[in-house]
Amino acid sequence: MTRPPVGLLDTSAVIALPAVADATDLPERPLISAITLAELAVGPLATDDLAERARRQAVLQQAEGDFRALPFDDAAARAFGIVAVGLRARGRTRSARAFDVLIAAVALAHELPLFTTNAADFVGIPGLVVHAVPVPRAGPPAS
């Protein structure tokens, strides 16, 4: 597969960036959406564990510093309809995550491929090109 020159990272891909072993699994110029920043902003507030809160805050601040987020604009609002209908046709209205649907709409509006560690979340969205970003699974240490 050819490495796209530009692509939109979803929130899972942004969080996984430090674990991505091969940069060719990402676009040459990765972008994020304002929706990803919103989702990352929830993270530190959604835990009482101080160490986890600090880790999540660091991810948010890194993303804010490294990326200029694409807005959820009029074009994304129109693309949202395509995403919602595509998922509904697959019976995924209850299981589709709201942030994912909005991020997919931004990708469609800007005609960008979407990079994610959760490719199955985006199945059934007409016109959306999805690239799975492989990340190593955490497991027991090798003996």
Side-chain angles (χ1 to χ4, degrees):
M1 174 175 23
T2 304
R3 182 178 184 192
V6 182
L8 188 71
L9 305 181
D10 83 334
T11 308
S12 71
V14 171
I15 292 169
L17 280 174
V20 172
D22 186 353
T24 63
D25 290 328
L26 299 169
E28 291 177 31
R29 192 177 78 150
L31 304 172
I32 66 168
S33 74
I35 305 305
T36 290
L37 286 181
E39 192 170 12
L40 290 173
V42 171
L45 304 173
T47 182
D48 292 329
D49 181 302
L50 295 179
E52 181 62 15
R53 180 177 293 157
R55 187 193 69 75
R56 292 177 183 185
Q57 185 66 36
V59 171
L60 169 60
Q61 289 175 307
Q62 188 73 48
E64 289 172 331
D66 288 348
F67 298 98
R68 183 168 173 220
L70 295 174
F72 187 87
D73 57 12
D74 294 353
R78 285 189 298 279
F80 176 81
I82 295 167
V83 175
V85 168
L87 292 176
R88 183 174 294 146
R90 296 234 185 236
R92 292 192 55 220
T93 55
R94 290 192 178 130
S95 65
R97 296 176 42 207
F99 288 121
D100 290 341
V101 174
L102 295 169
I103 291 167
V106 172
L108 283 175
H110 292 275
E111 300 179 350
L112 295 170
L114 182 70
F115 288 75
T116 179
T117 64
N118 302 311
D121 290 348
F122 299 96
V123 170
I125 299 173
L128 184 65
V129 176
V130 178
H131 291 266
V133 177
V135 291
R137 291 190 181 264
S143 51

